[in-house]
Amino acid sequence: MTWPSNTGVSDAQRQDWRDRFGDSDAAAGIEVTEEFEPFSQRNDMFTRAFWDESVRNKQTDAFFASYRMQARYRKGDGFKQKDFALRNASWLISDIITNRSADEGRREGFQAPIAYDTPVAEAHIEVDDPARMSAEIKRLAKFFGANLVGITEMDERWLYSARVDVRDYSEAENTLPEGLSSVIVLGHQMDQELVATYPSALAGAATGREYSHEAAIVIQLAAYIRNLGYEAVPSMNDTGLVIPYAVKAGLGEYARNQMVITPEYGPRLRFSKIFTNLPLDHDAPRRLGIEEFCNICTQCADACPVKALPFGPKEVSEPTDVSAIKGVRKWTSDAQACFGYWAKLQSDCAICMRVCPFNRDFSNWRDRWWLKLALSRFRKLALWLDTRGSRAQRLKPKDWWQKLAGG
């Protein structure tokens, strides 16, 4: 199945999308305008850093090289050799999967879906009860290690109009098997104490660990589904935009900091997905009250060192911003400014995650009480209480290492 290019979306296609997805969009708080166009992955900021000379520079090249034992160690707390060593080791399993087909132009999990390691069984089991099968898949996803699981309908709008051939960074067909009907969305919790050390190379271990975890989890769960006789395409950052699928699957709401806020883990999640034709029931999106809270809170935007996050209301992105999807009313970051700061650090920056008021431990009754307040009409009180505490204070990386050593 090949989806049409970014240009030339017909009026008939737009009407079909409205008919099929209009109600679920409204339930999810997703507003798609007449200017909507599917997104070409070649234009995401990480990919542009390889081919677009307005983005690529010595710092961006050094950023990517730092994940291959070419980091620039320095005296600053959180950027020493041990910090980079842990970060890069955390990425290793993900890297093995990603690099295995690079000579064919496919970076699996990032610029191409993960290739099948097992075939689809010739015989398939009959599924008489999709709701029961959905419950089984969710239990098995958690058995393999996922923290959250939701299931939504296949929505081709969020598939990339083209993927990327990493041999020359040209566009390539974004092909999927015919007849896929569902997207299984998996959430993977990032370590809270490592997140507390952002910005640092050490904190990057929280990101890398979950990419390695999710690579294993989606491969295993997809293999199980294929053994049942159904198509299952494991996917990480490739193939399509995961945030709309996560929101549609009822896992959370989109926030000012460009993340999905969940009531279980706040913003501390990476997401992966599996495209399948296994008969499954779909979850309903949930409007929790995150958007209403974000409307009065700008802590992520205030804390951003390069002011890459928006302060105002949700808007449709400017036509000139090639790294933003067109025709969706949402909060949109200045991706080039954001990634430029990452390149300067030689590691990812998630200060916006660390300072988010929803970055809490919701196994704690006090934080659950705060969440209930934040999602109610008393959200201004919740915001005031958050700003009064020291919850978002950065944990010094040296203190993390000391705690690891039992000190």
Side-chain angles (χ1 to χ4, degrees):
M1 181 186 300
T2 304
W3 303 109
S5 68
N6 253 5
T7 57
V9 178
S10 68
D11 290 341
Q13 181 65 79
R14 295 186 190 281
Q15 185 60 52
D16 178 59
W17 286 335
R18 283 193 293 269
D19 292 343
R20 286 192 289 145
F21 305 125
D23 290 345
S24 60
D25 280 356
I30 294 174
E31 184 180 349
V32 177
T33 74
E34 288 298 315
E35 291 74 36
F36 174 79
E37 294 179 356
F39 187 73
S40 175
Q41 193 179 19
R42 188 171 184 264
N43 290 328
D44 78 39
M45 188 53 59
F46 296 101
T47 304
R48 284 177 63 197
F50 287 96
W51 66 264
D52 187 341
E53 294 305 317
S54 71
V55 176
R56 186 177 183 179
N57 55 47
K58 290 182 179 179
Q59 282 191 329
T60 61
D61 286 350
F63 167 82
F64 292 114
S66 76
Y67 287 82
R68 304 293 180 268
M69 299 186 73
Q70 298 177 41
R72 186 181 70 249
Y73 314 132
R74 43 200 190 271
K75 294 180 180 180
D77 188 20
F79 295 93
K80 298 177 182 178
Q81 186 169 355
K82 283 205 310 182
D83 302 304
F84 281 102
L86 183 62
R87 184 199 69 177
N88 292 4
S90 298
W91 276 93
L92 182 59
I93 303 303
S94 174
D95 289 342
I96 289 171
I97 299 299
T98 296
N99 293 329
R100 65 181 181 175
S101 300
D103 60 347
E104 301 171 8
R106 302 174 66 255
R107 286 189 72 240
E108 296 181 32
F110 288 86
Q111 274 90 11
I114 299 174
Y116 287 13
D117 293 286
T118 56
V120 177
E122 292 184 8
H124 70 271
I125 66 166
E126 296 296 331
V127 179
D128 298 322
D129 188 346
R132 185 172 181 177
M133 178 55 72
S134 293
E136 179 181 297
I137 288 296
K138 289 178 181 180
R139 286 193 295 268
L140 289 173
K142 291 183 177 181
F143 165 76
F144 285 123
N147 296 105
L148 292 179
V149 192
I151 303 172
T152 188
E153 63 189 331
M154 181 64 167
D155 183 339
E156 66 268 24
R157 296 174 301 172
W158 312 122
L159 296 178
Y160 294 127
S161 62
R163 68 171 183 85
V164 178
D165 185 323
V166 295
R167 289 171 295 189
D168 60 4
Y169 290 91
S170 61
E171 289 190 339
E173 286 188 343
N174 190 18
T175 55
L176 287 171
E178 293 285 350
L180 301 179
S181 54
S182 297
V183 185
I184 303 166
V185 185
L186 312 174
H188 313 273
Q189 181 194 185
M190 298 170 67
D191 182 87
Q192 188 171 17
E193 290 191 343
L194 281 173
V195 167
T197 69
Y198 273 114
S200 67
L202 173 64
T207 302
R209 189 189 73 168
E210 295 321 310
Y211 273 117
S212 288
H213 281 177
E214 68 183 74
I217 293 165
V218 294
I219 288 172
Q220 290 170 307
L221 185 59
Y224 171 75
I225 295 171
R226 289 196 297 273
N227 272 272
L228 299 182
Y230 294 90
E231 293 284 357
V233 182
S235 172
M236 289 163 48
N237 286 3
D238 57 275
T239 309
L241 300 165
V242 73
I243 284 179
Y245 290 124
V247 172
K248 283 290 192 77
L251 297 183
E253 284 188 72
Y254 184 69
R256 186 184 297 277
N257 60 8
Q258 321 291 287
M259 300 172 190
V260 175
I261 305 295
T262 69
E264 294 85 2
Y265 305 107
R268 293 190 318 279
L269 287 167
R270 317 305 305 184
F271 289 101
S272 60
K273 52 199 180 293
I274 295 173
F275 301 96
T276 185
N277 61 355
L278 179 68
L280 297 169
D281 251 13
H282 297 154
D283 296 301
R286 295 184 290 172
R287 298 296 300 276
L288 303 168
I290 302 294
E291 180 179 341
E292 290 79 3
F293 189 93
C294 284
N295 282 333
I296 66 168
C297 177
T298 58
Q299 290 196 61
C300 57
D302 292 332
C304 179
V306 291
K307 302 305 176 191
L309 293 173
F311 284 91
K314 295 195 297 185
E315 296 179 343
V316 178
S317 63
E318 293 292 330
T320 55
D321 187 353
V322 297
S323 288
I325 191 167
K326 301 296 184 291
V328 179
R329 191 176 303 281
K330 67 184 188 70
W331 287 294
T332 299
S333 68
D334 181 342
Q336 189 160 347
C338 176
F339 182 63
Y341 187 67
W342 286 32
K344 181 179 179 180
L345 289 177
Q346 285 200 9
S347 200
D348 54 322
C349 168
I351 294 173
C352 53
M353 180 186 294
R354 171 171 63 81
V355 304
C356 177
F358 292 97
N359 178 27
R360 293 169 177 267
D361 177 8
F362 293 119
S363 66
N364 181 307
W365 73 266
R366 290 182 179 84
D367 287 331
R368 289 198 303 273
W369 175 84
W370 181 90
L371 179 66
K372 187 174 182 179
L373 199 68
L375 300 181
S376 75
R377 61 191 178 92
F378 299 107
R379 61 185 68 91
K380 288 185 178 180
L381 174 59
L383 179 58
W384 180 80
L385 290 171
D386 184 77
T387 59
R388 297 275 292 178
S390 58
R391 174 202 52 79
Q393 185 174 343
R394 180 175 183 257
L395 174 66
K396 294 179 180 179
K398 65 180 181 181
D399 292 338
W400 186 91
W401 283 109
Q402 186 175 3
K403 185 174 181 180
L404 181 74

